[in-house]
Amino acid sequence: MRIAAVGDLHCRADTRPALAAALSGVDDQAECLLLAGDLTDHGTAEEASWLAEELARLKLPKVAVFGNHDYEAGQEQVVRQKLEAAGVKVLDGEPYALGEELGIAGVKGFGGGFEHAQLQRFGEGVIKQFVDACIAEELKLENALFQLRTRARVALLHYAPCRATVEGEPLEIYPFLGATRLSSPLDQLRPALAFHGHAHRGILRGATRGGVTVYNVALPVLRRLEKPVGFFSVDV
Ligand SMILES: [Fe+2]
Ligand SMILES: [Fe+2]
């Protein structure tokens, strides 16, 4: 099955034409489209309506997770309704199967940092809340992957589950780009692939410590490839 994936469309008035161009042809080149968050730029109803109009033109199944930008206006429920009305399944930890072939475990994820420098649940209450937010995403991902019984499974996140694909970003912001604890469900339950966005200056391909292949499909990353593309496609 051929999957197309892209994140960080950041739909707003001035980016709409370019993102429509980026997605052109996806219907002919893939059997489903995964959207890795930051669908809108400020999470407004207006931006969601514009994106919904563009996505409604595409006939293939469309599955998305939210990114941090989709929460900015506090209208994420309206954003979700508008996208779902356009035929986009928005996931927040529920397992989702496209027939018997492909299962998608989708969560936003969260930050916390990587490997030995990952933020630990210690000290002030607000630090514990921050770490708990990431642990909650980790558990949702684990639960979704555990429940899927399809021939192939993939994970879809906004935040990065490994350090490898954020290489190129300033070191100072690594803790806000993702967290190694998001990779634990991947290494235990072994989906075929994981996709994320969020790290606009990162690189396309990496892997978790346990060897699960991870693709950073943020649109700015795809546009910097040797042969720039508007969406990444891969067979599972
Ligand atoms: Fe983004
Ligand atoms: Fe983001």
Side-chain angles (χ1 to χ4, degrees), residues 88-118:
V88 182
K89 180 69 183 174
V90 180
L91 298 179
D92 181 24
E94 52 278 66
Y96 185 67
L98 289 172
E100 293 176 2
E101 277 295 293
L102 181 68
I104 300 148
V107 296
K108 175 180 61 65
F110 199 53
F114 300 103
E115 300 170 8
H116 63 278
Q118 185 169 235

Side-chain angles (χ1 to χ4, degrees), residues 166-208:
V166 307
E167 292 281 350
E169 292 277 5
L171 263 179
E172 290 83 353
I173 68 167
Y174 272 34
F176 311 114
L177 296 174
T180 293
R181 56 171 54 84
L182 296 169
S183 69
S184 297
L186 307 178
D187 288 345
Q188 283 168 31
L189 297 167
R190 315 297 303 178
L193 298 169
F195 301 96
H196 73 89
H198 192 49
H200 292 202
R201 288 166 288 197
I203 57 173
L204 176 66
R205 191 186 162 112
T208 64

Side-chain angles (χ1 to χ4, degrees), residues 7-10 36-41 67-69 158 197-200 218 220:
D8 302 272
L9 296 173
H10 286 269
D38 286 356
L39 313 166
T40 60
D41 199 46
N68 52 317
H69 279 247
H158 181 61
H198 192 49
H200 292 202

Side-chain angles (χ1 to χ4, degrees), residues 197-232:
H198 192 49
H200 292 202
R201 288 166 288 197
I203 57 173
L204 176 66
R205 191 186 162 112
T208 64
R209 286 172 305 180
V212 174
T213 299
V214 176
Y215 289 107
N216 173 4
V217 294
L219 183 55
V221 171
L222 303 182
R223 284 179 168 155
R224 281 200 314 275
L225 296 176
E226 198 173 323
K227 289 182 183 169
V229 291
F231 55 86
F232 177 72

Side-chain angles (χ1 to χ4, degrees), residues 92-172:
D92 181 24
E94 52 278 66
Y96 185 67
L98 289 172
E100 293 176 2
E101 277 295 293
L102 181 68
I104 300 148
V107 296
K108 175 180 61 65
F110 199 53
F114 300 103
E115 300 170 8
H116 63 278
Q118 185 169 235
L119 186 63
Q120 298 303 313
R121 198 181 183 285
F122 182 89
E124 300 95 317
V126 70
I127 293 289
K128 289 174 180 158
Q129 284 173 29
F130 189 95
V131 174
D132 284 346
C134 193
I135 291 172
E137 295 293 303
E138 175 193 346
L139 293 175
K140 281 193 279 187
L141 179 58
E142 181 181 73
N143 191 42
L145 280 171
F146 186 74
Q147 289 186 56
L148 286 167
R149 293 288 178 270
T150 45
R151 185 185 62 79
R153 295 167 303 153
V154 298
L156 175 64
L157 301 96
H158 181 61
Y159 286 81
C162 66
R163 189 185 193 279
T165 45
V166 307
E167 292 281 350
E169 292 277 5
L171 263 179
E172 290 83 353

